[in-house]
Amino acid sequence: MPPRSRYAVDPSLTAQGGQGTQPNYQQPQQAEYQQGHQQANLQTGYDQQQQQQYNGAPTQQPSGPYDSTAPRERSYAVHRPEPAVQPNVQSMHPSLVQPMNHIPPPPHSSGPSISGPRVRIDPSQVPNPVEAQEMDQNLYDEEDFLSCQTKGVIPLAGTDYRGVDQGNSLPRHLRVTLPVAPSNSQLLDTTALPFGVIVQPFAQLRYDEAPIPLVSNWVSGQSAFDQPQIQDAEEEGPPRCEKCRGYINPFVRFVDGGRRWGCNLCGQTNEVHPTYYSSISPSGHRLDHSDRPELLHGTVDFPVPKMYWAVQPASDDTATGDGPDIAAATASLTSAASDMLGGLTASLGQTPAVTRGNSPAPGFKEKEKERLKAEARLRRPVPISRVFVLDVSDGAVKRGVLRYVCEGIRRGLYGTKRKSEGDSEDGEEEEGIGAGERVAIITVAESVGFWNLSAGSSGPSLMVVSDLEDMFVPLRDGFLVDPVESRSQIEGLLNMLPDMMERQSDGGRCAIGAAIKGALAGLRRLGGQITFFLTSLPLVGPGKLTSRDDPTVYNTDKERALFTAADPFWRNTADEIANAGVGVNTFLFPDQYTDVASVGALSAATGGDVFFHPRFEPVRDRDTLFDEIRRSLTTELVYNATMRVRCSNNLRVGEHYGDFHQRSLTDLEFGTIGESAAIGAVIKYEGKLDEKDLCYVQVAVLYTSIGGERRVRVLNTSMGVTGLVGNVFRFSDLDASVTLYAKEAVSLMPSKQLKDIRKMLTDRCNRVLLMYRRHCAGATQQGQLILPETFKLLPLYTLCLLKSKPLKGGTVTSDVRSHYMRRLRSYGVVSTMTLLYPRLLAIHDLTDDVGFPAGPMGRLKMPSFMRASYGWMVAEGAYLMTNGETAMIWLGGAVSPQVIDDLWGVDNPEELDTRMTRLPKLPTLLSTQIRNLLAHFERIMGHPLPLLIIRQNMDGMELEYANHLVEDSNNDALSYTDYLMTSHKSITNEMSGGGGKGDSWRPW
Ligand SMILES: [Zn+2]
């Protein structure tokens, strides 16, 4: 199959849509510069305006007592309510300077504030992520991130860097919360910091990073990338430790002249296989060291021999029909149901003729059973098979969902051109499904229909199973088909289905549970992917649900029950699907409660994605839907995967957090793992670590590639060891820690009340600050809040977690909470941090060079980001924000019409169609800049960002926008400065003995 690009994010951004190419940022054409000059004039106007405003401010130096003698900590003065001293704005970072005419948050969005007497903290004096982010980015603008020469600094989540894997996996794949580990568990407890890893094994590489090596040859002296010539070596697979089964990696030591190697994980000395032997140079390296990627890189792929193939799942009742008697099952194949095709008329024109399905011959299921039993117990890896399950109930048809789903699948499989519009040999072939992959289509309403899409047939035909409790695939051939060979059948079906269902209703309810069982029956021996589209609560068939959402239980102890599956069918089926090596993608289009907690359990246990389109509105949502379907078919994906995290001696893995099925304490099963899927694992101590040594984490993921290769991906990282509490803090990684906190917190939602989880998060934050204060900070004045430099933003990010959709106070529907609970549980560090603290920037005063590549690395020139607060926004402004899921442009009530004209080509805000989710391609400088910036964010996030338009005091979505401004008081929680104040109070109390020596704190 053609290699699938794992670097190119979106073909439209890359020069040839190929691997390793630079994003193709647009340049305005000649004619555009005139527009650009207008824009520049406009900007000058803004500059002057701001200048005057700044000049009006006093110009004294800030009085904040920055402690220059303690570089690893900063103290933030707490001001008594006396006149705030204005800093010298000329020399300060924009994130510190609040405009005088900034706007207040809209009244409907505000949250509580501290009551009673209070001291005031100046917002410009508190740590802010924007400044930290900018400083971090500066480190990597002209230099690579070298994974073994980090100098103790890991790029922040928001930093765009080119990484070089020198033996430690890149942080985008494997990130440790404490890159310098405490030497024992008491020391860890003293810091109160979390210890664990975030693993995102298939995270997209940057376009200019070296691809992950695929090492296939274990014969010394031959190229590591060749097919092995010796049968033995082929069967051998990668060298592994006899004791702990760890894989060979850059940190093993070759001893005994190269005949043996010492395992860095468990210490065992292993024999080197004779074919793999190489002698040792005086430096202690193998002579072939520089030719062996597995000894050079932290992240490596190995093809593996037959003994690594997946074992077929033991229970096979659905596929082979053990259970109710076969005659009944056969009878349940109603040929009558194919009458629904009768309504089809010749007026459908180009769609192929539809033939009636026949009932299978008697004994069909017995023969099928024998055939399946005859197959080997081991599963031969094959290119992925994908089953689409389409909701064709009345609601899905009437609301237009089915029509756009069909169109989305068609585009996903074959690109935007229709076959009738000429051949695709014009060099514009779009990214499509890979060679050898197979697809099947099931339709479901009150019965389940299996479509025969055989290439040889004159058209698609339908076989209906109406006994919902006993599902099997009633087709021997023609169910899973090659989408290229069967293109006319598949396109024909997708084209005619919406009209057909309009004429011939199969009822208003959807038996999605039965259809999923049917899809599983088709994939049980193969593994693969099920993608289902559901419009309403499943009211019929196995796993049928009732509307249990009840706002009166919100914020009570009963609420947590809403975050687990209502019917055990969903959890059990999910486990069954995961065991079969199948991942489930869920597309939901609810117009009311659909029980995301139950239905979403399928994706939660199998590693698939959930896409949520409440109140689907075609004009607004269809492009996003098309993108999502296309991406689910074309991005890097593996299936039938098992993951294990190993640690070196005296460490072990505790809890795992993420979307998977945990079959044993150590092994995590995934139906599919995509680019964005990440897990968290907590590391525990079993003994003391040697401060002179490093300690290690190795993650191994055994998987089948989308093209049908069985492989293992191994990721490695080493950590330093320290006995000093200060060093643990000094090198700690806040972004990885917050991601781990988030995963732990949302994983508690089914078992703990939300208010308790929120309290625990705050307690944890305060505990870390208290421990730092107690053990690392020198004698300081009582009134000062001392924060560890690496964790100075912990209070802010903790507050962001308290304001996140799954955890925040106030009324949030259980569907929304469940959906975002899953998001945070499976998100990696970049997605988590962007969701918690959005990226916000002003677009009304961009300089001309912003949004175009600059500098030796060709990085896009970015403007300064802004802090997420109305306190930095003005009504004359326009702002672009992204939380990694969507982008929003907020237009102030007094924004220049020129901005609107440049971006959308209309004169005033009233004329904007807020259902648009893309910027039109206008030949203006501003339009080009913003589209380039959006393309940049989309590359970083790895998926398209629908763009929403929000006009001040006009659009209801402004509340959503306001909720993202997490430094303000909103989302039923305090403002950042107030929250910091409460932290400070709590720590001061503890320090003065008010709360005893940590007695009031309980670990969770
Ligand atoms: Zn070992």
Side-chain angles (χ1 to χ4, degrees), residues 39 843-844 846 878-880 889-891 897-906 912 916 918-931 934 947:
Q39 181 64 28
I843 58 177
H844 54 275
L846 296 179
Y879 302 89
L880 173 65
I889 288 186
W890 181 95
L891 297 167
Q898 186 70 51
V899 169
I900 296 168
D901 189 34
D902 279 0
L903 288 179
W904 290 280
V906 298
L912 286 171
M916 281 191 295
R918 294 275 182 277
L919 272 186
K921 276 193 178 178
L922 297 184
T924 63
L925 176 65
L926 185 62
S927 173
T928 312
Q929 288 177 306
I930 302 302
R931 282 183 284 115
L934 283 167
L947 178 69

Side-chain angles (χ1 to χ4, degrees), residues 94 266 348 373 517 533 720 734 897:
C266 71
L348 287 174
K373 281 206 169 146
K517 282 282 199 181
F533 301 86
L734 176 63

Side-chain angles (χ1 to χ4, degrees), residues 241 243-246 263 265-268:
C241 172
K243 187 175 165 198
C244 72
R245 305 302 290 151
C263 174
L265 298 168
C266 71
Q268 170 83 3

Side-chain angles (χ1 to χ4, degrees), residues 278-324:
S278 166
S279 49
I280 302 289
S281 72
S283 68
H285 282 311
R286 283 167 59 114
L287 289 179
D288 65 353
H289 183 83
S290 58
D291 298 325
R292 301 298 323 181
E294 72 276 14
L295 304 178
L296 296 169
H297 302 296
T299 306
V300 186
D301 275 323
F302 305 131
V304 288
K306 204 169 187 172
M307 63 179 181
Y308 290 83
W309 287 6
V311 176
Q312 295 288 15
S315 93
D316 222 7
D317 52 341
T318 314
T320 54
D322 294 345

